[in-house]
Amino acid sequence: MAEQLRGTYPERLTRAGAYLATLLDEYGHPVISPFELFELIRKMFAEREGKALYLREDAPTVQTYASLRTNLKKSGIIASDRDYKSRLFRIIGSPDLPADEITCLADPTCHLSHLSAMQRWGLTERVSNTLILTRPDRAGGAAMLQSIMTARLGPGQDTPFPLRRISHPETVRRRKIAVYETKLPGAWIRVRGEQTRLSTIGQTFLDTLQKPEYCGGMAHVLDVWENSARTYTKDIIDAVDGAEAALVKSRAGYILEERLGIRDPRIEAWKALGQRGSSRKLDPSAPFASTFSETWMISLNV
Protein backbone atom coordinates (compact mmCIF):
# COMPACT_ATOMS: atom_id res chain seq x y z
CA MET A 1 0.00 0.00 0.00
CA ALA A 2 2.69 2.51 0.98
CA GLU A 3 4.65 1.85 -2.23
CA GLN A 4 1.53 2.41 -4.34
CA LEU A 5 0.87 5.67 -2.55
CA ARG A 6 4.44 6.85 -3.05
CA GLY A 7 4.11 6.21 -6.79
CA THR A 8 1.10 8.48 -7.02
CA TYR A 9 2.84 11.59 -5.68
CA PRO A 10 6.25 13.25 -6.08
CA GLU A 11 9.21 11.22 -4.87
CA ARG A 12 10.10 13.71 -2.14
CA LEU A 13 6.93 12.75 -0.23
CA THR A 14 7.63 10.47 2.72
CA ARG A 15 5.52 7.36 3.15
CA ALA A 16 3.48 9.10 5.84
CA GLY A 17 3.21 12.20 3.69
CA ALA A 18 1.92 10.15 0.76
CA TYR A 19 -0.72 8.50 2.93
CA LEU A 20 -1.76 11.86 4.35
CA ALA A 21 -2.04 13.15 0.77
CA THR A 22 -4.60 10.43 0.01
CA LEU A 23 -6.60 11.52 3.06
CA LEU A 24 -6.53 15.08 1.74
CA ASP A 25 -7.83 13.79 -1.60
CA GLU A 26 -10.72 12.15 0.23
CA TYR A 27 -11.32 15.23 2.38
CA GLY A 28 -13.28 16.76 -0.48
CA HIS A 29 -12.71 20.47 0.12
CA PRO A 30 -10.20 22.87 -1.48
CA VAL A 31 -9.10 24.40 1.83
CA ILE A 32 -8.33 23.00 5.26
CA SER A 33 -7.62 24.57 8.65
CA PRO A 34 -4.74 23.58 10.95
CA PHE A 35 -7.36 22.00 13.25
CA GLU A 36 -8.72 19.79 10.46
CA LEU A 37 -5.24 18.92 9.18
CA PHE A 38 -4.17 17.73 12.63
CA GLU A 39 -7.36 15.64 12.86
CA LEU A 40 -6.46 13.98 9.54
CA ILE A 41 -3.01 13.22 10.97
CA ARG A 42 -4.71 11.65 13.99
CA LYS A 43 -6.81 9.57 11.59
CA MET A 44 -3.63 8.43 9.83
CA PHE A 45 -2.14 7.32 13.15
CA ALA A 46 -5.32 5.40 13.96
CA GLU A 47 -5.08 3.61 10.59
CA ARG A 48 -1.32 2.98 10.70
CA GLU A 49 -1.34 -0.77 11.34
CA GLY A 50 -0.04 -2.76 8.37
CA LYS A 51 0.72 0.30 6.25
CA ALA A 52 4.48 0.64 6.80
CA LEU A 53 4.25 4.37 7.47
CA TYR A 54 7.28 4.39 9.80
CA LEU A 55 5.68 6.65 12.41
CA ARG A 56 7.96 6.96 15.41
CA GLU A 57 5.42 8.21 17.95
CA ASP A 58 2.36 6.41 19.29
CA ALA A 59 0.29 9.57 18.76
CA PRO A 60 0.88 12.73 16.70
CA THR A 61 2.62 15.70 18.28
CA VAL A 62 3.16 19.31 17.29
CA GLN A 63 6.51 18.24 15.84
CA THR A 64 4.80 15.49 13.79
CA TYR A 65 2.38 18.04 12.42
CA ALA A 66 5.14 20.50 11.54
CA SER A 67 7.20 17.84 9.77
CA LEU A 68 4.26 16.52 7.72
CA ARG A 69 3.03 20.01 6.88
CA THR A 70 6.48 20.92 5.55
CA ASN A 71 6.63 17.69 3.56
CA LEU A 72 3.22 18.36 1.99
CA LYS A 73 4.15 21.96 1.16
CA LYS A 74 7.47 21.10 -0.43
CA SER A 75 5.78 18.36 -2.45
CA GLY A 76 3.17 20.72 -3.83
CA ILE A 77 0.24 19.03 -2.09
CA ILE A 78 -0.77 22.05 -0.01
CA ALA A 79 0.10 25.75 0.11
CA SER A 80 -0.98 28.76 2.13
CA ASP A 81 -4.30 30.00 0.77
CA ARG A 82 -3.87 33.04 -1.46
CA ASP A 83 -6.53 35.04 0.43
CA TYR A 84 -6.30 33.73 4.00
CA LYS A 85 -2.49 33.23 3.89
CA SER A 86 -1.18 30.99 6.69
CA ARG A 87 -4.57 30.88 8.43
CA LEU A 88 -5.79 28.31 5.92
CA PHE A 89 -4.18 25.75 3.63
CA ARG A 90 -5.15 25.35 -0.01
CA ILE A 91 -5.25 21.71 -1.18
CA ILE A 92 -3.73 22.08 -4.64
CA GLY A 93 -5.36 19.06 -6.26
CA SER A 94 -8.94 20.01 -5.30
CA PRO A 95 -10.95 22.39 -7.52
CA ASP A 96 -11.42 25.82 -5.97
CA LEU A 97 -14.81 27.17 -4.87
CA PRO A 98 -16.45 30.63 -4.92
CA ALA A 99 -16.23 33.06 -2.02
CA ASP A 100 -19.63 32.01 -0.61
CA GLU A 101 -18.29 28.55 0.16
CA ILE A 102 -14.66 29.39 0.95
CA THR A 103 -15.66 31.89 3.65
CA CYS A 104 -17.95 29.33 5.28
CA LEU A 105 -15.21 26.68 5.18
CA ALA A 106 -12.71 29.14 6.66
CA ASP A 107 -15.06 30.33 9.41
CA PRO A 108 -17.53 27.75 10.82
CA THR A 109 -19.31 30.49 12.80
CA CYS A 110 -20.42 32.64 9.85
CA HIS A 111 -23.27 32.58 7.33
CA LEU A 112 -24.40 34.67 4.36
CA SER A 113 -26.90 37.36 5.34
CA HIS A 114 -28.63 40.63 4.49
CA LEU A 115 -28.37 41.66 0.82
CA SER A 116 -26.29 38.58 0.00
CA ALA A 117 -29.00 36.35 1.45
CA MET A 118 -31.70 38.37 -0.32
CA GLN A 119 -29.91 37.69 -3.61
CA ARG A 120 -29.70 33.96 -2.84
CA TRP A 121 -33.40 33.77 -1.95
CA GLY A 122 -34.38 35.69 -5.11
CA LEU A 123 -35.86 38.59 -3.13
CA THR A 124 -33.93 41.31 -4.96
CA GLU A 125 -32.54 41.98 -8.40
CA ARG A 126 -29.84 44.23 -7.00
CA VAL A 127 -26.33 42.99 -7.67
CA SER A 128 -23.48 43.63 -5.26
CA ASN A 129 -19.92 42.35 -5.39
CA THR A 130 -19.75 42.56 -1.59
CA LEU A 131 -20.42 39.34 0.27
CA ILE A 132 -22.10 40.07 3.61
CA LEU A 133 -21.41 37.61 6.42
CA THR A 134 -22.98 37.50 9.87
CA ARG A 135 -21.33 35.77 12.82
CA PRO A 136 -21.53 35.85 16.63
CA ASP A 137 -19.63 38.43 18.62
CA ARG A 138 -16.34 37.39 20.21
CA ALA A 139 -17.86 35.67 23.26
CA GLY A 140 -20.55 33.91 21.26
CA GLY A 141 -18.04 32.89 18.60
CA ALA A 142 -15.69 31.37 21.17
CA ALA A 143 -18.54 29.35 22.64
CA MET A 144 -19.61 28.16 19.19
CA LEU A 145 -16.08 27.11 18.23
CA GLN A 146 -15.71 25.22 21.51
CA SER A 147 -19.00 23.44 20.85
CA ILE A 148 -17.82 22.42 17.36
CA MET A 149 -14.53 21.06 18.75
CA THR A 150 -16.31 19.15 21.52
CA ALA A 151 -18.62 17.56 18.96
CA ARG A 152 -15.61 16.55 16.83
CA LEU A 153 -13.18 15.48 19.54
CA GLY A 154 -15.48 14.30 22.30
CA PRO A 155 -15.97 15.75 25.80
CA GLY A 156 -12.75 16.48 27.66
CA GLN A 157 -10.51 15.89 24.62
CA ASP A 158 -7.98 18.49 23.55
CA THR A 159 -5.94 19.46 20.48
CA PRO A 160 -2.76 21.50 20.06
CA PHE A 161 -4.43 23.27 17.12
CA PRO A 162 -7.82 24.48 18.38
CA LEU A 163 -10.29 26.27 16.15
CA ARG A 164 -9.69 30.00 16.52
CA ARG A 165 -11.63 33.05 15.46
CA ILE A 166 -10.43 33.87 11.96
CA SER A 167 -10.02 37.34 10.50
CA HIS A 168 -11.53 37.54 7.04
CA PRO A 169 -9.45 39.40 4.44
CA GLU A 170 -10.91 42.35 2.55
CA THR A 171 -11.43 40.18 -0.52
CA VAL A 172 -11.91 36.45 -0.98
CA ARG A 173 -11.82 34.95 -4.45
CA ARG A 174 -12.06 38.51 -5.85
CA ARG A 175 -15.21 39.37 -3.86
CA LYS A 176 -15.26 42.07 -1.21
CA ILE A 177 -16.12 40.82 2.26
CA ALA A 178 -18.18 42.63 4.92
CA VAL A 179 -18.58 40.99 8.33
CA TYR A 180 -21.40 41.89 10.73
CA GLU A 181 -20.88 40.68 14.31
CA THR A 182 -23.77 40.46 16.75
CA LYS A 183 -24.86 38.77 19.97
CA LEU A 184 -27.87 37.43 18.04
CA PRO A 185 -26.63 36.09 14.68
CA GLY A 186 -29.95 34.41 13.91
CA ALA A 187 -31.03 31.20 12.20
CA TRP A 188 -29.38 29.74 9.12
CA ILE A 189 -29.52 26.67 6.87
CA ARG A 190 -26.91 24.89 4.76
CA VAL A 191 -27.42 25.27 1.03
CA ARG A 192 -27.94 21.87 -0.55
CA GLY A 193 -24.90 20.65 -2.49
CA GLU A 194 -22.69 23.45 -1.13
CA GLN A 195 -20.66 24.37 1.93
CA THR A 196 -22.54 27.68 2.09
CA ARG A 197 -24.55 28.58 5.18
CA LEU A 198 -27.41 31.00 4.50
CA SER A 199 -29.78 32.88 6.79
CA THR A 200 -33.24 31.30 6.72
CA ILE A 201 -35.92 33.06 4.71
CA GLY A 202 -37.63 34.26 7.89
CA GLN A 203 -34.35 35.48 9.36
CA THR A 204 -33.53 37.25 6.09
CA PHE A 205 -36.76 39.25 6.29
CA LEU A 206 -36.10 39.96 9.97
CA ASP A 207 -32.59 41.21 9.13
CA THR A 208 -34.05 43.72 6.63
CA LEU A 209 -35.82 45.42 9.54
CA GLN A 210 -32.90 45.21 11.96
CA LYS A 211 -30.23 46.47 9.54
CA PRO A 212 -31.96 47.88 6.46
CA GLU A 213 -28.76 49.75 5.53
CA TYR A 214 -27.18 46.33 4.82
CA CYS A 215 -30.16 45.41 2.64
CA GLY A 216 -30.28 48.22 0.11
CA GLY A 217 -32.01 50.78 2.35
CA MET A 218 -35.52 50.88 3.83
CA ALA A 219 -37.20 52.01 0.61
CA HIS A 220 -35.86 48.91 -1.11
CA VAL A 221 -36.80 46.78 1.90
CA LEU A 222 -40.42 47.96 1.63
CA ASP A 223 -40.44 47.02 -2.07
CA VAL A 224 -39.13 43.56 -1.21
CA TRP A 225 -41.78 43.05 1.48
CA GLU A 226 -44.54 44.23 -0.84
CA ASN A 227 -43.37 41.86 -3.58
CA SER A 228 -42.55 38.75 -1.54
CA ALA A 229 -43.80 38.88 2.08
CA ARG A 230 -47.14 37.26 1.27
CA THR A 231 -45.29 34.21 -0.06
CA TYR A 232 -43.38 33.74 3.19
CA THR A 233 -45.86 35.07 5.75
CA LYS A 234 -45.58 32.18 8.21
CA ASP A 235 -41.76 32.17 8.13
CA ILE A 236 -41.68 35.94 8.64
CA ILE A 237 -44.12 35.92 11.56
CA ASP A 238 -42.26 33.02 13.20
CA ALA A 239 -38.93 34.87 12.92
CA VAL A 240 -40.25 38.26 14.06
CA ASP A 241 -42.23 36.74 16.93
CA GLY A 242 -39.04 35.13 18.24
CA ALA A 243 -37.01 38.35 18.03
CA GLU A 244 -36.05 40.07 21.29
CA ALA A 245 -36.40 43.66 20.07
CA ALA A 246 -39.89 45.17 20.30
CA LEU A 247 -39.02 47.73 17.63
CA VAL A 248 -38.75 45.15 14.84
CA LYS A 249 -42.17 43.84 15.84
CA SER A 250 -43.61 47.33 15.40
CA ARG A 251 -41.93 47.70 12.01
CA ALA A 252 -43.04 44.25 10.86
CA GLY A 253 -46.55 44.75 12.23
CA TYR A 254 -46.98 48.04 10.38
CA ILE A 255 -45.79 46.55 7.07
CA LEU A 256 -47.74 43.31 7.36
CA GLU A 257 -51.00 44.75 8.67
CA GLU A 258 -51.29 48.31 7.39
CA ARG A 259 -49.45 47.99 4.06
CA LEU A 260 -50.19 44.37 3.11
CA GLY A 261 -53.46 43.74 4.95
CA ILE A 262 -52.22 40.54 6.60
CA ARG A 263 -53.94 39.55 9.85
CA ASP A 264 -52.67 37.11 12.45
CA PRO A 265 -53.17 36.76 16.23
CA ARG A 266 -49.44 37.10 16.81
CA ILE A 267 -49.30 40.33 14.83
CA GLU A 268 -52.18 41.60 16.96
CA ALA A 269 -50.20 40.77 20.11
CA TRP A 270 -47.25 42.90 18.93
CA LYS A 271 -49.37 46.05 19.26
CA ALA A 272 -49.03 45.87 23.04
CA LEU A 273 -45.29 46.45 22.65
CA GLY A 274 -45.74 49.93 21.16
CA GLN A 275 -44.72 53.02 23.12
CA ARG A 276 -47.02 56.01 22.82
CA GLY A 277 -45.10 59.24 22.39
CA SER A 278 -41.91 57.36 21.48
CA SER A 279 -39.40 58.39 18.82
CA ARG A 280 -39.47 55.04 17.02
CA LYS A 281 -38.88 55.24 13.28
CA LEU A 282 -39.60 52.91 10.40
CA ASP A 283 -36.24 53.79 8.82
CA PRO A 284 -33.52 54.00 11.49
CA SER A 285 -31.18 56.00 9.21
CA ALA A 286 -33.66 58.74 8.19
CA PRO A 287 -34.86 61.77 10.19
CA PHE A 288 -38.02 61.54 12.26
CA ALA A 289 -41.16 62.40 10.23
CA SER A 290 -44.51 63.74 11.44
CA THR A 291 -46.44 61.12 9.45
CA PHE A 292 -47.25 58.54 12.06
CA SER A 293 -48.95 55.18 12.50
CA GLU A 294 -51.16 55.56 15.55
CA THR A 295 -51.70 51.80 15.69
CA TRP A 296 -48.03 50.90 15.65
CA MET A 297 -46.75 54.10 17.26
CA ILE A 298 -43.99 54.53 14.71
CA SER A 299 -42.84 57.41 12.51
CA LEU A 300 -43.39 56.60 8.81
CA ASN A 301 -40.23 58.36 7.68
CA VAL A 302 -39.71 56.57 4.34
Side-chain angles (χ1 to χ4, degrees), residues 115 118 123-126 212 215-227 302:
L115 191 60
M118 293 163 69
L123 300 177
T124 180
E125 294 182 353
R126 294 196 178 186
C215 302
M218 185 55 83
H220 181 56
V221 166
L222 291 176
D223 287 341
V224 168
W225 279 65
E226 298 223 358
N227 292 332
V302 181

Side-chain angles (χ1 to χ4, degrees), residues 118-255:
M118 293 163 69
Q119 292 169 337
R120 277 299 195 109
W121 283 111
L123 300 177
T124 180
E125 294 182 353
R126 294 196 178 186
V127 178
S128 172
N129 188 48
T130 299
L131 187 66
I132 303 176
L133 305 174
T134 287
R135 67 179 182 180
D137 62 9
R138 187 165 295 277
M144 188 173 179
L145 291 172
Q146 184 59 55
S147 177
I148 292 170
M149 287 192 293
T150 299
R152 282 290 308 276
L153 303 175
Q157 299 302 308
D158 203 358
T159 174
F161 297 95
L163 286 171
R164 299 189 185 280
R165 189 175 185 81
I166 199 165
S167 297
H168 291 277
E170 291 184 2
T171 60
V172 173
R173 302 312 187 258
R174 299 183 180 178
R175 287 196 70 180
K176 294 179 180 179
I177 303 298
V179 181
Y180 172 57
E181 298 183 357
T182 172
K183 290 182 178 180
L184 302 170
W188 53 265
I189 59 170
R190 189 180 296 279
V191 177
R192 182 176 297 179
E194 297 184 16
Q195 299 305 311
T196 307
R197 292 179 294 275
L198 177 69
S199 60
T200 64
I201 187 66
Q203 182 67 43
T204 300
F205 273 93
L206 175 60
D207 286 342
T208 66
L209 302 184
Q210 296 184 130
K211 287 289 181 181
E213 65 271 29
Y214 293 174
C215 302
M218 185 55 83
H220 181 56
V221 166
L222 291 176
D223 287 341
V224 168
W225 279 65
E226 298 223 358
N227 292 332
S228 303
R230 292 181 182 86
T231 304
Y232 301 106
T233 300
K234 182 183 182 304
D235 298 280
I236 293 170
I237 294 176
D238 286 347
V240 173
D241 200 51
E244 291 188 5
L247 177 54
V248 295
K249 292 181 170 68
S250 295
R251 288 174 180 159
Y254 162 72
I255 298 170

Side-chain angles (χ1 to χ4, degrees), residues 266-283:
R266 286 181 290 177
I267 297 177
E268 191 66 27
W270 298 342
K271 294 177 181 177
L273 302 173
Q275 295 180 357
R276 190 166 299 280
S278 73
S279 57
R280 289 180 171 180
K281 302 181 293 183
L282 183 59
D283 183 351

